[in-house]
Amino acid sequence: MSLLRRYRAAFMQSREAIVFVQQDKIIDYNPAALALLGVDSEALVPTLGLMHFSPGRQPNGKRSRALGSVYVKQAMRHGQALFEWRLQALNGHEFPAEIMLSRIDIPGDTLLQATVRDISRQKRLEEELSRNAMTDHLTGAFNRQRFDEEMRRALARLRRNQVSTALILLDIDHFKPVNDTYGHAVGDDVLVELTALLDASLRIPDMLTRWGGEEFVMVLPDSGQQEALQLAERLRQLIADHDFSVVGSITASLSVTTLHADDDARRCLQRLDDALYQAKDLGRNKVLEADSDAAV
């Protein structure tokens, strides 16, 4: 078998999708490329170019045609260009891909070889890892790392544009007896059920964080003190009225504050913590405003 035939056999049998492009027209392809791009008739291929398999814009907001030209020029100038791209099969299905453009010089002409790899699974794994790094493994609420990031953003918004952010600290009353009486598995179920209850009562921009044990912190962007106090009271009543599985009724104490321009996360949480302890001292199942002695 000649070298050219061996190359052709390898090209056709490759599991990687490979197409050859000349002046934005696909001039050759292998079966893997047809399958990946959803082309069910080879007769269509001569009428298609790479841009037929791209949505109008990429995830970064840039137009696919303009951005694609940048990568083509890079490959023509430097020999190769490796990049991630949002592809669109002929049936409309969109998926993330990694594309390697390679310049191939032949007598009297230059071609581009595009080797395309579907990276949907890789992206899903990356998103899952990112989500796991930012969420509490039991409840699915955000964790302290994500809370710290949101606090930095909230403080920046406050100092730059005077956008107010309120916070609510919530602690379940008498939670230790729940674990002692029913066991930690039931206690975990209560935390999961409470998380779902709180999450359903918050706005989309609001953030729910499990602070530790039976404590939760809620960050409420673009909210003032009175709005946060009203929400905290609704949550307190919602929890008190809810019939939790196995344990029945529980209550919670809550404290409320807003960010100050000279705040940091530690100072803000200290205010919330102090107010929460006051609410506990006043008999629990109460909402208390930080820096105030008046319970709602």
Side-chain angles (χ1 to χ4, degrees), residues 3 6 15 25 27 112 118 127 146 150 153 156 169 211 221 240 248 250 256 271 276:
L3 180 62
R6 288 199 298 270
R15 293 184 178 181
K25 291 294 183 182
I27 61 171
L112 282 176
D118 184 345
E127 290 170 4
R146 179 66 181 84
E150 184 59 28
R153 294 192 185 100
L169 176 62
W211 194 245
I250 63 171
V256 176
R271 285 200 307 277
L276 186 69

Side-chain angles (χ1 to χ4, degrees), residues 145-159:
Q145 180 178 338
R146 179 66 181 84
F147 172 83
D148 288 341
E149 288 185 5
E150 184 59 28
M151 285 293 284
R152 285 193 290 271
R153 294 192 185 100
L155 285 166
R157 288 194 299 268
L158 175 61
R159 291 162 184 164

Side-chain angles (χ1 to χ4, degrees), residues 74-266:
Q74 181 181 332
M76 295 296 285
R77 185 179 302 117
H78 301 293
Q80 284 188 331
L82 178 65
F83 54 94
E84 289 187 9
W85 194 257
R86 190 75 181 176
L87 280 174
Q88 184 178 55
L90 286 188
N91 63 6
H93 171 64
E94 293 187 13
F95 59 94
E98 181 183 79
I99 299 179
M100 170 67 83
L101 286 181
S102 303
R103 188 187 70 214
I104 299 177
D105 297 316
I106 60 176
D109 207 348
T110 300
L111 307 178
L112 282 176
Q113 174 184 313
T115 304
V116 185
R117 185 167 63 91
D118 184 345
I119 57 172
S120 298
R121 184 172 182 275
Q122 174 186 324
K123 286 297 181 183
R124 285 195 298 270
L125 289 173
E126 288 175 0
E127 290 170 4
E128 184 176 351
L129 288 171
S130 177
R131 186 167 57 251
N132 289 341
M134 293 292 182
T135 56
D136 171 58
H137 74 280
L138 173 64
T139 63
F142 287 112
N143 60 20
R144 291 194 180 199
Q145 180 178 338
R146 179 66 181 84
F147 172 83
D148 288 341
E149 288 185 5
E150 184 59 28
M151 285 293 284
R152 285 193 290 271
R153 294 192 185 100
L155 285 166
R157 288 194 299 268
L158 175 61
R159 291 162 184 164
R160 185 175 58 248
N161 299 318
Q162 290 74 55
V163 177
S164 176
T165 296
L167 292 96
I168 299 173
L169 176 62
L170 179 151
D171 183 81
I172 301 174
D173 297 326
H174 302 299
F175 190 66
K176 186 177 183 299
V178 171
N179 283 328
D180 292 346
T181 303
Y182 300 100
H184 286 278
V186 171
D188 287 349
D189 289 343
V190 170
L191 294 174
V192 171
E193 196 170 344
L194 175 64
T195 299
L197 199 64
L198 296 174
D199 200 44
S201 303
L202 298 178
R203 305 168 305 174
I204 291 175
D206 300 337
M207 191 183 80
L208 176 64
T209 301
R210 185 183 179 196
W211 194 245
E214 63 272 23
E215 280 192 329
F216 295 82
V217 180
M218 286 154 273
V219 182
L220 315 174
D222 198 22
S223 296
Q225 188 90 344
Q226 286 306 309
E227 294 171 281
L229 283 167
Q230 291 168 7
L231 173 60
E233 174 57 24
R234 288 200 303 273
L235 295 176
R236 183 201 66 76
Q237 192 64 54
L238 182 67
I239 294 166
D241 292 343
H242 187 74
D243 184 21
F244 285 84
S245 301
V246 181
V247 303
S249 297
I250 63 171
T251 62
S253 300
L254 303 92
S255 58
V256 176
T257 193
T258 54
L259 283 180
H260 302 168
D262 60 346
D263 255 339
D264 56 29
R266 183 195 59 78

